[in-house]
Amino acid sequence: MGKIIPYSRLARQQHLNFLEAKRREYRERENYLLRLRKLLFKIEGQMRTSELQQLELFRDLAAHFKIPLEFPSLGDRLGLQQFFNTHPVLVALQEFFAGRLTPEECYGKIVEKPRNFPPKPDKLE
């Protein structure tokens, strides 16, 4: 005849198997998340590099046309966005790059706008 296994031993083994299965599930998910985080870090780095190259392009254009541009801090994304949306030369250049202005129209806006810059806001002290 077969040996009788006590219920407590069966229940314990079931709990141990359940824990082991959950540990494997957790490790698989954790490894997947780790790979995704590494990929996201690489993508964020590439995006940041591209953003800096775009800013450098605008700096080069401003230097070429001798337009003083004081960009906000690179960490101030909202400030940069507002700066690009309100500065008349940057707006004209963005329209040109988007294909909404011809080179002649863009040049006209660039050379006319420096005389009509909005006044600089007073610095808070």
Side-chain angles (χ1 to χ4, degrees), residues 2 26 40 46 70 76 94 96 98-99 103 116-117 119-120 125:
Y26 175 83
L40 181 61
Q46 291 171 355
E70 294 181 30
D76 184 7
Q94 289 178 84
F96 170 68
N116 301 324
F117 280 148
K120 289 186 180 180
E125 295 181 17

Side-chain angles (χ1 to χ4, degrees), residues 43-78:
I43 291 170
E44 284 178 348
Q46 291 171 355
M47 285 177 55
R48 192 67 177 150
T49 300
S50 293
E51 288 172 348
L52 291 174
Q53 289 170 343
Q54 292 293 68
L55 286 175
E56 194 58 38
L57 178 104
F58 284 100
R59 282 191 179 108
D60 290 346
L61 285 164
H64 176 82
F65 290 106
K66 296 179 179 33
I67 300 169
L69 285 182
E70 294 181 30
F71 286 96
S73 163
L74 292 177
D76 184 7
R77 291 192 176 260
L78 182 59

Side-chain angles (χ1 to χ4, degrees), residues 12-71:
R12 180 178 182 275
Q13 192 60 43
Q14 181 184 12
H15 293 310
L16 294 176
N17 288 338
F18 178 76
L19 285 171
E20 188 59 39
K22 289 300 177 180
R23 176 172 45 186
R24 279 191 305 271
E25 182 181 331
Y26 175 83
R27 291 300 328 148
E28 288 172 8
R29 195 172 296 121
E30 192 66 23
N31 290 337
Y32 177 71
L33 284 170
L34 181 62
R35 289 189 308 271
L36 285 178
R37 285 184 189 113
K38 286 180 181 179
L39 179 62
L40 181 61
F41 184 74
K42 286 180 184 177
I43 291 170
E44 284 178 348
Q46 291 171 355
M47 285 177 55
R48 192 67 177 150
T49 300
S50 293
E51 288 172 348
L52 291 174
Q53 289 170 343
Q54 292 293 68
L55 286 175
E56 194 58 38
L57 178 104
F58 284 100
R59 282 191 179 108
D60 290 346
L61 285 164
H64 176 82
F65 290 106
K66 296 179 179 33
I67 300 169
L69 285 182
E70 294 181 30
F71 286 96

Side-chain angles (χ1 to χ4, degrees), residues 53-118:
Q53 289 170 343
Q54 292 293 68
L55 286 175
E56 194 58 38
L57 178 104
F58 284 100
R59 282 191 179 108
D60 290 346
L61 285 164
H64 176 82
F65 290 106
K66 296 179 179 33
I67 300 169
L69 285 182
E70 294 181 30
F71 286 96
S73 163
L74 292 177
D76 184 7
R77 291 192 176 260
L78 182 59
L80 278 170
Q81 185 178 8
Q82 289 173 341
F83 185 63
F84 272 84
N85 290 333
T86 58
H87 196 285
V89 172
L90 295 178
V91 170
L93 288 171
Q94 289 178 84
E95 288 177 1
F96 170 68
F97 292 141
R100 293 187 291 267
L101 291 177
T102 65
E104 293 83 18
E105 293 169 330
C106 182
Y107 178 72
K109 288 187 175 201
I110 288 173
V111 295
E112 113 186 6
K113 292 299 180 186
R115 292 185 298 261
N116 301 324
F117 280 148

